[in-house]
């Protein structure tokens, strides 16, 4: 007895060729489909009806060139094969059974799209909707996105910062026990996370100078320029002795020791143990006094001068506060920076705009290195997401620019961090300037509009997914639109991030008062107030020289934005580790 005939499927087209993970589809003419009514276009999904499963394919090209009219085709579609939906209605990435010539093809239905994008576990969070069907929610797998790192790439003005705020807020909701550390380059995220975030800046940060390793400390002393070899040699010898000297003070049993040999200390210049700056200067001065050669004495004198200049600069007070007092506060500093315990604030926003430009790279290096080392020595007991805004600044593709230790610290998190519960999130508008090795470690990519050809090329090389051809229309994405690739999403997807509540929108605090209103009067009082803030950033004075400047300024200025400059709330008080914010009362608007 012959088997029943296979029913003919009314289809949009047929497979005409297959090559690796790609196929070409001949779209057939029919009463319902003509060259003018065909609406299939790039970015949409086709379903190839195979014998065992429906193969999910994404359209990467539609063309009417070189069509053989005898085949009754109205268009030829090039597709990438992404996954398959089994007969039982389950979706999986990858293709186990390739299509054959003549397999029927049509556009995936809304129900089939829901099968693909329906969350399969509690780790899925809602980040937006599909571009081709806004009734279908797009989810991201938090575990896959975090544990294998992620990156958000996009030019200025495409909604990149808003998207970061959305992702991080969703992560905080889904993983309340996860700690998040965000490097905020432009001071724009301070208000995005409400009471869940601790906002740190140079005014309320305490990061003792002895936590800096030798390269980082030298970078601070020499203002980001290469160190003088002779002075660096002296430093490398006396820092371990200064550490051992402090240990003598702290340990009464060893006070009797008079002579300390460098080899006997057991410390290196990189050992994170406390020492006093006065001891360091005293040791250098003592060595200088034993020299008879005047030219050799100049080296020691210049080194002491560098240390004194940096120590007395108010901009570096976050490093050198109590530099001559001592005290092993490393546990308190680490607990404070990385929220252990969180006490309702699992997130730290480190605002970098107020730091001296010469020291930013060193500070970032210290923070990255400490984040990784804590994860390493705690065996990943307390996971941390380290988010690096403007990542190309700190991990440049050009090894001749930037600060080497910072690149090394970021690279170490990218390569090894997942083993110790330290995850990396990179945000950049210039992926071509970011170290390609570091970017390649991010297995989930959110690509927003990128107009630069070099940036597109780097992104293309970083995407290993079968749908890398989708990157060809990255330049045409609109604001808040994104191409999501990698382990964190079910399929390479063009989606639109959902709306972010007003209170979570990033807003650069450096630009709050840059748009004057029509009735603002920028008179002498306004200039005087600005100069007071200007001078106050590099002095130790307790109050303005004219205590009535603020009052007169407030009376004379009617513009709302300038009034906010005077009346803005004080800094977030940090106790016991934070600095006393009253010493900065001369600032009319504290820099957050």
């Amino acid at each position: 007895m012959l088997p029943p005939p296979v029913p003919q499927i009314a289809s949009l087209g047929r497979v005409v060729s297959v090559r690796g993970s790609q196929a070409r589809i001949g779209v057939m003419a029919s009463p319902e489909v003509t060259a003018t009514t065909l609406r299939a276009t790039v970015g949409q999904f086709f379903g190839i009806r195979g014998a065992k499963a429906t193969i999910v394919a994404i359209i990467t090209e539609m063309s009417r060139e070189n069509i053989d009219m005898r085949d009754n085709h109205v268009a030829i579609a090039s597709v990438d094969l992404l996954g398959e939906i089994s007969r039982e209605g389950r979706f999986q990435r990858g293709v186990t059974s390739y299509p054959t010539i003549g397999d029927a093809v049509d556009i995936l239905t809304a129900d089939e799209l829901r099968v693909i994008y329906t969350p399969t576990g509690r780790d899925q969070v809602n980040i937006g909707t599909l571009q081709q069907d806004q009734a279908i929610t797009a989810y991201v797998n938090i575990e896959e996105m975090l544990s294998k790192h992620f990156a958000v790439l996009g030019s200025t003005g495409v909604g990149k910062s808003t998207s970061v705020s959305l992702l991080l807020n969703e992560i905080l909701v889904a993983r309340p026990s996860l700690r998040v550390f965000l490097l905020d380059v432009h001071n724009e995220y301070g208000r995005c996370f409400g009471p869940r975030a601790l906002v740190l800046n140079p005014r309320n940060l305490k990061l003792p100078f002895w936590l800096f390793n030798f390269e980082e400390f030298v970078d601070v002393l020499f203002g980001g320029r290469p160190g003088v070899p002779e002075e660096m040699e002296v430093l490398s010898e006396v820092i371990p002795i200064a550490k051992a000297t402090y240990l003598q003070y702290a340990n009464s049993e060893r006070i009797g020791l008079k002579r300390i040999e460098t080899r006997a200390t057991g410390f290196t210049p990189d050992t994170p143990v406390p020492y006093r700056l006065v001891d360091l200067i005293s040791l250098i001065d003592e060595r200088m006094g034993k020299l008879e050669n005047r030219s050799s004495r100049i080296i020691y004198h210049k080194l002491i001068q560098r240390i004194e200049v940096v120590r007395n600069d108010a901009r570096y007070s976050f490093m050198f506060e109590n530099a001559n007092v001592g005290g092993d506060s490393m546990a308190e500093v680490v607990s404070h920076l990385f929220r252990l315990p969180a006490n309702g604030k699992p997130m730290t926003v480190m605002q970098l705009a107020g730091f001296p430009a010469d020291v930013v790279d060193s500070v970032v290096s210290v923070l990255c290195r400490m984040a990784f080392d804590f994860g390493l020595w705690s065996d990943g007991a307390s996971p941390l997401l380290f988010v690096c805004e403007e990542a190309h600044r700190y991990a440049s593709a050009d090894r001749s620019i930037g600060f080497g230790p910072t690149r090394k610290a970021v690279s170490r998190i990218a390569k090894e961090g997942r083993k110790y519960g330290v995850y990396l999130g990179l945000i950049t508008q210039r992926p071509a300037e970011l170290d390609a090795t570091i970017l390649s470690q991010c297995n989930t990519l959110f690509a927003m509009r990128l107009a630069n050809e070099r940036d597109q090329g780097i992104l293309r090389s970083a995407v290993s997914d079968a749908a890398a051809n989708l990157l060809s229309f990255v330049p045409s994405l609109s604001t808040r639109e994104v191409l999501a690739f990698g382990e964190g999403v079910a399929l390479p997807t063009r989606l639109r991030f959902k709306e972010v509540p007003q209170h979570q929108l990033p807003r650069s605090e450096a630009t709050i008062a840059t748009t004057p209103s029509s009735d603002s009067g920028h008179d002498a009082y306004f200039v005087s107030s600005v100069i007071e803030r200007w001078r106050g950033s590099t002095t130790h004075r307790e109050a303005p020289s004219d205590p009535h400047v603020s009052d007169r300024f407030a009376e004379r200025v009617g513009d709302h934005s300038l009034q906010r400059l005077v009346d803005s709330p004080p800094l977030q008080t940090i106790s016991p580790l934070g600095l006393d914010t009253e010493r900065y009362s001369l600032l009319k608007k504290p820099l957050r």
Side-chain angles (χ1 to χ4, degrees):
M1 183 177 178
L2 295 175
V6 178
Q8 296 295 317
I9 303 174
S11 60
L12 182 68
R14 300 281 174 173
V15 175
V16 295
S17 70
V18 180
R19 185 182 64 181
S21 62
Q22 299 175 329
R24 289 173 64 81
I25 310 298
V27 181
M28 312 292 291
S30 69
E32 294 80 18
V33 178
T34 65
T36 56
T37 61
L38 178 63
R39 306 304 301 166
T41 185
V42 291
Q44 287 186 319
F45 291 106
F46 271 163
I48 302 175
R49 311 300 175 179
K52 299 180 179 179
T54 296
I55 299 172
V56 178
I58 192 165
I59 304 174
T60 59
E61 181 184 0
M62 292 290 293
S63 174
R64 293 197 68 201
E65 296 178 355
N66 302 321
I67 294 178
D68 190 343
M69 301 306 296
R70 293 173 298 178
D71 292 332
N72 199 28
H73 292 160
V74 295
I76 295 293
S78 297
V79 299
D80 286 345
L81 310 179
L82 304 179
E84 56 189 23
I85 302 174
S86 67
R87 297 302 181 202
E88 292 76 26
R90 289 192 298 269
F91 171 76
Q92 69 173 20
R93 295 187 72 158
V95 178
T96 58
S97 178
Y98 280 84
T100 59
I101 301 299
D103 281 351
V105 179
D106 53 24
I107 296 177
L108 284 185
T109 66
D111 289 338
E112 288 172 322
L113 287 174
R114 289 190 179 91
V115 168
I116 297 172
Y117 290 100
T118 297
T120 56
R122 291 184 299 177
D123 278 335
Q124 308 274 347
V125 296
N126 172 9
I127 60 171
T129 57
L130 296 189
Q131 186 271 342
Q132 64 188 39
D133 189 342
Q134 297 187 10
I136 298 176
T137 304
Y139 292 88
V140 64
N141 186 304
I142 292 293
E143 176 62 28
E144 292 292 333
M145 184 178 79
L146 293 180
S147 64
K148 298 178 182 178
H149 309 319
F150 71 94
V152 180
L153 317 172
S155 302
T156 300
V158 300
K160 185 169 71 274
S161 298
T162 303
S163 304
V164 172
S165 174
L166 167 66
L167 289 171
L168 294 183
N169 272 292
E170 292 292 341
I171 288 172
L172 288 172
V173 172
R175 293 288 183 86
S177 61
L178 177 72
R179 296 165 299 114
V180 180
F181 193 98
L182 170 64
L183 294 177
D184 185 3
V185 175
H186 302 296
N187 291 12
E188 57 185 342
Y189 293 99
R191 298 181 175 90
C192 293
F193 308 100
R196 293 180 294 186
L198 170 69
V199 180
L200 295 179
N201 51 58
R203 302 292 188 259
N204 58 14
L205 172 67
K206 185 173 181 182
L207 193 64
F209 70 95
W210 49 264
L211 284 175
F212 288 58
N213 67 21
F214 184 70
E215 287 182 287
E216 294 157 354
F217 189 56
V218 167
D219 190 66
V220 172
L221 291 184
F222 289 87
R225 297 182 298 274
V228 178
E230 293 83 359
E231 295 180 37
M232 293 172 61
E233 183 179 353
V234 174
L235 265 182
S236 66
E237 293 176 0
V238 298
I239 287 178
I241 301 176
K243 294 176 180 180
T245 302
Y246 176 79
L247 185 62
Q248 285 185 323
Y249 300 145
N251 190 340
S252 59
E253 296 178 0
R254 299 185 61 187
I255 288 181
L257 294 177
K258 298 297 183 182
R259 183 74 177 175
I260 303 172
E261 296 295 337
T262 305
R263 296 178 181 177
T265 62
F267 298 133
T268 70
D270 294 335
T271 307
V273 297
Y275 63 97
R276 302 191 310 165
L277 215 55
V278 66
D279 292 334
L280 185 68
I281 294 174
S282 177
L283 287 166
I284 298 172
D285 187 62
E286 179 185 347
R287 292 193 171 206
M288 181 174 65
K290 296 178 180 179
L291 297 173
E292 296 181 0
N293 188 320
R294 179 178 177 83
S295 61
S296 298
R297 290 167 62 92
I298 292 176
I299 295 173
Y300 289 78
H301 181 70
K302 285 184 176 180
L303 179 57
I304 292 176
Q305 215 170 20
R306 291 185 199 279
I307 297 173
E308 293 284 3
V309 167
V310 174
R311 183 186 68 175
N312 294 325
D313 192 330
R315 298 174 301 164
Y316 295 83
S317 59
F318 68 94
M319 289 178 58
F320 296 104
E321 188 81 7
N322 299 323
N324 293 327
V325 176
D328 189 355
S329 58
M330 185 171 180
E332 290 84 355
V333 171
V334 170
S335 298
H336 188 60
L337 286 174
F338 302 125
R339 312 309 304 142
L340 292 164
N343 294 325
K345 294 179 181 288
M347 182 171 187
T348 302
V349 177
M350 176 60 72
Q351 297 186 326
L352 298 175
F355 285 91
D358 295 339
V359 79
V360 169
D361 283 342
S362 300
V363 170
V364 173
S365 178
V366 173
L367 296 172
C368 290
R369 181 173 51 79
M370 291 175 63
F372 179 85
D373 285 345
F374 186 82
L376 171 65
W377 297 110
S378 67
D379 294 325
S382 187
L384 169 72
L385 170 61
F386 197 97
V387 183
C388 191
E389 173 75 85
E390 300 288 0
H392 60 276
R393 291 189 177 190
Y394 312 114
S396 174
D398 186 350
R399 297 302 178 99
S400 65
I401 63 176
F403 186 44
T406 308
R407 181 191 298 106
K408 181 179 178 181
V410 176
S411 177
R412 199 176 181 197
I413 295 177
K415 293 177 180 178
E416 306 175 53
R418 68 193 71 180
K419 302 175 185 177
Y420 308 109
V422 184
Y423 311 129
L424 184 65
L426 300 178
I427 299 98
T428 180
Q429 57 183 314
R430 293 305 311 272
E433 296 180 8
L434 179 63
D435 191 313
T437 303
I438 295 176
L439 182 60
S440 67
Q441 299 294 323
C442 298
N443 285 0
T444 301
L445 297 178
F446 297 96
M448 307 184 79
R449 186 167 68 246
L450 286 167
N452 187 279
E453 191 66 37
R454 287 183 59 229
D455 293 332
Q456 296 172 33
I458 290 294
L459 179 59
R460 207 169 285 116
S461 64
V463 173
S464 58
D465 216 302
N469 288 329
L470 287 176
L471 293 173
S472 59
F473 56 90
V474 161
S476 65
L477 295 174
S478 66
T479 302
R480 285 180 37 231
E481 270 195 351
V482 61
L483 286 174
F485 297 90
E487 302 294 333
V489 290
L491 280 181
T493 307
R494 183 177 179 179
L495 60 92
R496 179 179 290 273
F497 281 124
K498 65 182 181 181
E499 292 281 353
V500 175
Q502 188 70 26
H503 65 277
Q504 293 180 1
L505 288 174
R507 184 181 182 186
S508 177
E509 296 176 14
T511 60
I512 289 178
T514 58
T515 306
S517 64
S518 58
D519 60 345
S520 63
H522 292 178
D523 57 13
Y525 297 107
F526 168 78
V527 176
S528 297
S529 179
V530 172
I531 291 175
E532 287 295 332
R533 297 182 67 222
W534 189 346
R535 289 173 174 169
S537 67
T538 55
T539 62
H540 286 287
R541 292 180 300 159
E542 297 296 330
S545 57
D546 184 353
H548 302 295
V549 167
S550 179
D551 295 338
R552 295 201 307 269
F553 181 54
E555 291 174 2
R556 295 287 300 272
V557 178
D559 179 52
H560 176 71
S561 63
L562 297 178
Q563 189 64 42
R564 183 171 58 234
L565 183 68
V566 178
D567 298 332
S568 58
L571 289 168
Q572 191 172 356
T573 303
I574 307 299
S575 178
L577 294 176
L579 303 179
D580 182 8
T581 57
E582 291 301 321
R583 65 180 294 192
Y584 299 104
S585 59
L586 61 99
L587 295 174
K588 304 304 180 291
K589 174 178 178 274
L591 295 175
R592 291 184 176 83

